[in-house]
Amino acid sequence: MIRAVFPGSFDPIHNGHIDIAKRSVKLVDELVIAVYDKPLKNFLLSPDERIGLVQGIFKDHPKVKVVGYSGLTVKFCEKIGAQVMIRGLRVFSDFEYEFRMALANHRLTPDVEVLALITNEEHSFLSSSTVREIASLGGDISTMVPRSVEEMLKNKFYDLGENNPIIPTHTFRD
Ligand code: ADP
């Protein structure tokens, strides 16, 4: 049985992540979407909010499990008996980062193989930070994320008010 882990921050999950998850689940027996929950960076959404959104989106996919995790991703893979780690590749800058991460992870745990899927061109520009920034400025993200994510971000930014300190809003505003 092949068990794969698709790790990430998912702050929030968007259509690019969902596409990678749906394509990779066809290749394996079980896909564990692992939501990183001990932040090194400032997250907009709490671990429970991020996990809850992913769970809602994949509730009708019996081969997909959603869990939170912390610490080294390869250690988590070992702990749950996963042989494969899934990553998504967008642009060349992703490649360099993922290449280094894959080699470092392989040094730590040679038994876990990294499987990188190329993004669907429709989602190639999408990142969680782009989604957060557009949403924080009241832009339309309905083509980038599922309805549940759109609602969650709308409420989050409403609660934070105009001067939210979390998101640096420079790209889409200037
Ligand atoms: P991380 O904090 O590990 O970067 P993310 O939640 O940003 O976590 O992303 C998780 C994975 O999804 C990474 O492998 C990333 O490259 C991939 N990914 C992010 N956005 C896209 C996209 N638009 N298309 C394909 N893969 C993507």
Side-chain angles (χ1 to χ4, degrees):
M1 154 158 170
I2 303 291
R3 177 177 291 140
V5 168
F6 180 32
S9 312
F10 304 108
D11 186 39
I13 187 165
H14 56 64
N15 291 346
H17 295 131
I18 294 168
D19 173 64
I20 295 291
K22 286 187 175 168
R23 284 161 56 205
S24 55
V25 78
K26 292 182 198 155
L27 308 174
V28 299
D29 299 299
E30 183 178 279
L31 180 70
V32 178
I33 304 183
V35 180
Y36 193 62
D37 69 7
K38 286 279 165 25
L40 294 173
K41 50 187 178 183
N42 277 341
F43 288 121
L44 173 66
L45 303 176
S46 71
D48 284 349
E49 287 171 328
R50 287 180 283 126
I51 292 168
L53 285 172
V54 183
Q55 273 169 342
I57 290 161
F58 288 97
K59 65 178 182 327
D60 298 326
H61 291 72
K63 283 169 70 181
V64 176
K65 291 202 163 60
V66 183
V67 297
Y69 82 105
S70 57
L72 276 176
T73 306
V74 282
K75 288 288 165 214
F76 174 73
C77 291
E78 268 185 339
K79 196 174 97 187
I80 67 163
Q83 305 93 327
V84 179
M85 190 195 305
I86 305 289
R87 299 295 288 172
L89 284 180
R90 282 162 296 192
V91 286
F92 296 119
S93 52
D94 268 355
F95 179 79
E96 194 186 327
Y97 173 76
E98 295 292 343
F99 184 83
R100 283 191 291 109
M101 288 294 290
L103 290 181
N105 281 329
H106 206 247
R107 174 73 59 89
L108 295 172
T109 315
D111 289 341
V112 176
E113 289 294 344
V114 174
L115 183 61
L117 272 67
I118 308 292
T119 185
N120 183 318
E121 58 181 327
E122 198 188 334
H123 308 309
S124 58
F125 68 95
L126 262 184
S127 68
S128 295
S129 59
T130 300
V131 169
R132 286 196 304 268
E133 191 168 343
I134 294 173
S136 77
L137 294 167
D140 180 3
I141 53 168
S142 60
T143 62
M144 304 172 194
V145 296
R147 189 69 192 223
S148 54
V149 177
E150 203 185 343
E151 296 286 317
M152 168 82 76
L153 292 197
K154 205 177 274 175
N155 293 335
K156 189 58 106 177
F157 286 114
Y158 181 82
D159 290 345
L160 285 170
E162 283 247 318
N163 297 318
N164 91 72
I166 299 177
I167 310 301
T169 49
H170 46 79
T171 324
F172 291 99
R173 190 177 56 179
D174 295 344

